[in-house]
Amino acid sequence: MLSSIAAVLEAYACHPEQTRGRRHAEVPAPTRNDFQRDRDRIVHSTAFRRLVYKTQVFLNHEGDLFRTRLTHSLEVAQLGRSIARALGLNEDLVEAVALAHDLGHTPFGHAGQDTLNECMQAYGGFEHNLQSLRVVDHLEERYPEFDGLNLSFETREGILKHCAKRNALLIEAQEPGGVAHRFLNGTQPSLEAQLCNLADAIAYNAHDIDDGVRSGLLTLSQMDEVPLFAHYKTVTLQQHPGLADASKARRLLYETIRRMLSDQVYDVIDTTRQHLTQHQPQSADEARLSGPLVAFSEPMAQQVREMKSFLFKHLYRHPQVMETTANAQVVVRELFDAYLSSPQEMSSDFSAREETPRAVADYIAGMTDRYAAKEHERLTGRRLLA
Ligand code: MG
């Protein structure tokens, strides 16, 4: 079981004084290290504020209490920081990566991303992870001397969590040995980056159950099909029989999710500690060479996979979700076609760009759900989404 709560940065953590630095050299800040500074830049960015009106699973207008990309990102940061502290990893870096990890998401969640990717097939495609990196490297316009936020290598490395080989080669050509290098030589990102990836999955599995039940698309009893959930629900009811009353259904749901979430967190901490003991990495770079170290135990990984496939089948592919998804796809495709044939309909900084298809993709990807719906109505005269 867990022993102490580490208060120090372990040797295998990313130490800010050993950062590989920024693409444009800057004078150090007097009171903040580089990762704290990265986090602050992310929080103040335009793309970060837009996350509040971007879909996680349920479209933004469908209800006030569903997760948005913003609240999802905050939950990932919270989970990531708790785990980082217990493992002696760098909390500031974890927070920066977690808050930035979804900045490149299109409006309307995965439906938007898939459609934009289809529209962009002839022009290099569209990947949301790569887009998150584009946002912080190029698209934010806040500083007099450079594009983007000029974040540290380690934060950018964590943001680029997946990348197709074709795109990795393009980045590598621009930035030899940089953030895309690991996709070409098969090494791992920092432990902090590995952690954010897992914290993301822990967060969305839990909150999608909550939102799914809240929406009425999933029922509590239906969730008994998921062994991980059923186990904690049974334990909760044994200890709190009063929660079996229908009027207490919400408390039963929350308590079950809370226990499930905590055990996943403890499982990651325990398993990762075992891996660290086996491999003994003495620096962040040694950890990058040791294969994935931040992980679930195999039994927990299996249960998490089962939960994921349940959610996929019963929530993400629910007919009601699919119907709004279909409308969202039409909105994105028609917006893309409209701007491609009439670039002057975009704001001037995008219409002035030479590579029109990429400018259109960047423009659409940056939109909130409601702005995209409004623009679609302006350009086509049809209102497909509320
Ligand atoms: Mg995410």
Side-chain angles (χ1 to χ4, degrees):
M1 212 32 219
L2 300 173
S3 51
S4 60
I5 298 294
V8 289
L9 269 193
E10 297 288 352
Y12 47 69
C14 283
H15 291 247
E17 62 281 7
Q18 290 163 6
T19 174
R20 290 195 209 168
R22 302 175 188 278
R23 294 157 82 222
H24 307 276
E26 290 188 58
V27 179
T31 58
R32 294 170 299 160
N33 70 43
D34 279 315
F35 304 146
Q36 292 172 320
R37 207 175 182 190
D38 286 354
R39 177 211 43 218
D40 298 349
R41 288 180 181 194
I42 291 158
V43 168
H44 288 276
S45 69
T46 308
F48 185 73
R49 286 196 300 284
R50 286 179 176 147
L51 295 177
V52 70
Y53 293 116
K54 286 194 177 195
T55 290
Q56 183 67 28
V57 172
F58 293 93
L59 297 193
N60 200 266
H61 64 267
E62 292 182 298
D64 289 347
L65 293 174
F66 296 128
R67 267 66 174 190
T68 65
R69 288 272 164 212
L70 181 67
T71 55
H72 162 71
S73 300
L74 295 173
E75 290 182 34
V76 176
Q78 179 272 316
L79 285 166
R81 286 191 63 143
S82 319
I83 300 172
R85 187 173 296 205
L87 292 171
L89 293 174
N90 194 309
E91 280 183 65
D92 297 319
L93 176 58
V94 166
E95 188 177 20
V97 172
L99 295 179
H101 85 283
D102 274 351
L103 289 181
H105 264 287
T106 61
F108 313 127
H110 281 280
Q113 120 102 22
D114 293 346
T115 307
L116 198 50
N117 186 31
E118 283 163 23
C119 294
M120 285 295 287
Q121 271 319 297
Y123 316 104
F126 179 89
E127 282 186 88
H128 66 85
N129 284 121
L130 189 59
Q131 191 69 13
S132 296
L133 189 67
R134 278 179 67 72
V135 167
V136 300
D137 279 357
H138 303 290
L139 297 174
E140 281 287 320
E141 295 183 318
R142 310 186 74 79
Y143 293 90
E145 286 165 352
F146 48 77
D147 286 338
L149 303 177
N150 196 30
L151 302 181
S152 310
F153 171 87
E154 293 77 6
T155 304
R156 297 174 57 242
E157 173 194 38
I159 290 172
L160 192 63
K161 59 179 176 178
H162 306 291
C163 182
K165 188 159 179 207
R166 182 191 57 201
N167 290 323
L169 288 166
L170 292 174
I171 298 173
E172 181 70 10
Q174 303 271 315
E175 187 190 344
V179 286
H181 196 65
R182 71 182 181 89
F183 298 102
L184 303 171
N185 71 359
T187 55
Q188 297 297 314
S190 70
L191 297 174
E192 284 82 356
Q194 294 178 36
L195 169 52
C196 284
N197 223 347
L198 270 191
D200 189 20
I202 298 175
Y204 66 65
N205 282 323
H207 65 50
D208 289 350
I209 293 174
D210 182 11
D211 284 354
V213 174
R214 178 183 294 282
S215 69
L217 301 187
L218 295 178
T219 63
L220 252 177
S221 52
Q222 186 186 12
M223 292 301 304
D224 288 340
E225 275 180 50
V226 185
L228 191 63
F229 186 90
H231 166 72
Y232 294 107
K233 190 176 137 193
T234 305
V235 176
T236 300
L237 284 171
Q238 278 164 358
Q239 290 179 14
H240 304 280
L243 294 187
D245 191 278
S247 68
K248 299 284 196 310
R250 191 153 290 284
R251 288 184 199 231
L252 174 60
L253 174 68
Y254 285 146
E255 183 59 20
T256 304
I257 291 177
R258 176 167 25 250
R259 287 167 186 243
M260 193 179 73
L261 201 70
S262 298
D263 268 14
Q264 288 178 67
V265 166
Y266 297 143
D267 182 89
V268 169
I269 294 171
D270 278 342
T271 308
T272 305
R273 281 182 176 164
Q274 287 166 25
H275 292 168
L276 289 165
T277 307
Q278 279 161 21
H279 290 266
Q280 297 283 328
Q282 295 304 309
S283 67
D285 274 340
E286 278 187 33
R288 287 183 175 96
L289 298 173
S290 302
L293 297 180
V294 183
F296 286 124
S297 65
E298 198 32 61
M300 183 62 89
Q302 175 59 31
Q303 292 208 302
V304 170
R305 277 193 294 271
E306 284 169 23
M307 180 161 67
K308 215 172 162 169
S309 59
F310 173 91
L311 286 172
F312 201 84
K313 196 167 145 204
H314 298 284
L315 184 60
Y316 311 144
R317 291 284 175 269
H318 190 287
Q320 220 169 302
V321 172
M322 293 305 283
E323 193 191 316
T324 36
T325 296
N327 282 330
Q329 287 168 336
V330 173
V331 168
V332 170
R333 178 165 289 284
E334 292 186 352
L335 276 179
F336 186 85
D337 293 342
Y339 292 131
L340 196 63
S341 55
S342 312
Q344 73 281 1
E345 296 291 348
M346 296 189 287
S347 74
S348 58
D349 41 341
F350 287 86
S351 60
R353 280 172 45 182
E354 272 172 30
E355 251 193 295
T356 302
R358 185 58 59 189
V360 171
D362 287 340
Y363 191 55
I364 295 174
M367 291 179 179
T368 60
D369 290 10
R370 58 186 190 172
Y371 186 73
K374 220 171 81 183
E375 270 294 276
H376 178 262
E377 187 179 15
R378 181 180 74 82
L379 293 165
T380 67
R382 285 154 38 238
R383 183 90 185 171
L384 292 186
L385 295 161

